[in-house]
Amino acid sequence: MLENVETIFDNRETMLKHLKKKSYIENMKEFRDIYGHYFDEMFTYLESSNDKDLAIKELSNDFTSKIKVRFANRFGKVWGKTQADINLFMVFYVFPAILLVENPLAENLCDAICLAWEDFFPGNKIRYTTYEQLLPKFREKIFGIF
């Protein structure tokens, strides 16, 4: 299930740097073009399951555990800056990309990932938002210059 899904975080530093509306739109399009198959795979798995609630829980735990393994040190801890970056990346890119699939189970999956995230990364309670809600929050220009 979701083999190599942790690679969605490979360009996180670049994608989080100097975010403005235009760069966010471009980054999200590229993110969905490159990694959209993971989100399609998630919903294909959920749709094929007889027990949707169990499948959502399994999927969210599998996803979150792979992220934890990717970023944790040998003691199972994630460095503070890295944790902040992956939390932000989840909110800016992963959750909006899941919700853009427009599947009726998308919000349930996001809720489950939030709960799993808190279990796998204690003290890191994250929430999600949609692309449509997030996009207007970005500035077109900084100080009217860029």
Side-chain angles (χ1 to χ4, degrees):
M1 190 181 340
L2 298 177
E3 192 166 328
N4 298 317
V5 72
E6 63 277 4
T7 61
I8 66 174
F9 289 86
D10 285 352
N11 296 325
R12 79 181 185 288
E13 290 175 359
T14 303
M15 293 175 76
L16 290 173
K17 199 179 281 188
H18 307 296
L19 276 179
K20 289 183 272 187
K21 187 177 241 176
K22 182 180 177 188
S23 62
Y24 179 66
I25 291 169
E26 292 168 1
N27 289 347
M28 179 57 91
K29 182 183 178 337
E30 181 180 343
F31 179 75
R32 291 183 70 213
D33 288 346
I34 295 170
Y35 302 111
H37 64 94
Y38 287 115
F39 307 115
D40 294 338
E41 183 182 338
M42 288 177 180
F43 290 108
T44 299
Y45 175 75
L46 293 178
E47 293 297 330
S48 68
S49 174
N50 292 330
D51 186 347
K52 305 287 189 231
D53 292 334
L54 179 62
I56 286 171
K57 184 172 179 146
E58 287 174 350
L59 191 59
S60 63
N61 285 334
D62 182 60
F63 174 80
T64 308
S65 68
K66 288 179 177 173
I67 305 309
K68 172 97 181 212
V69 168
R70 164 78 160 73
F71 291 105
N73 62 22
R74 62 185 175 148
F75 302 109
K77 302 289 182 192
V78 177
W79 187 57
K81 181 188 180 318
T82 302
Q83 185 68 63
D85 282 354
I86 62 175
N87 290 351
L88 202 58
F89 194 81
M90 288 291 295
V91 173
F92 280 10
Y93 291 100
V94 178
F95 288 131
I98 290 171
L99 294 167
L100 281 170
V101 174
E102 295 183 355
N103 185 293
L105 297 171
E107 285 191 28
N108 295 348
L109 179 58
C110 288
D111 287 334
I113 291 172
C114 287
L115 290 173
W117 199 265
E118 206 171 342
D119 290 341
F120 282 90
F121 302 102
N124 288 278
K125 187 173 186 172
I126 61 174
R127 293 289 169 245
Y128 61 91
T129 188
T130 66
Y131 179 75
E132 292 79 16
Q133 290 173 325
L134 191 58
L135 190 60
K137 307 297 184 217
F138 288 99
R139 295 180 183 202
E140 297 281 344
K141 300 178 179 181
I142 298 177
F143 302 121
I145 301 170
F146 299 100

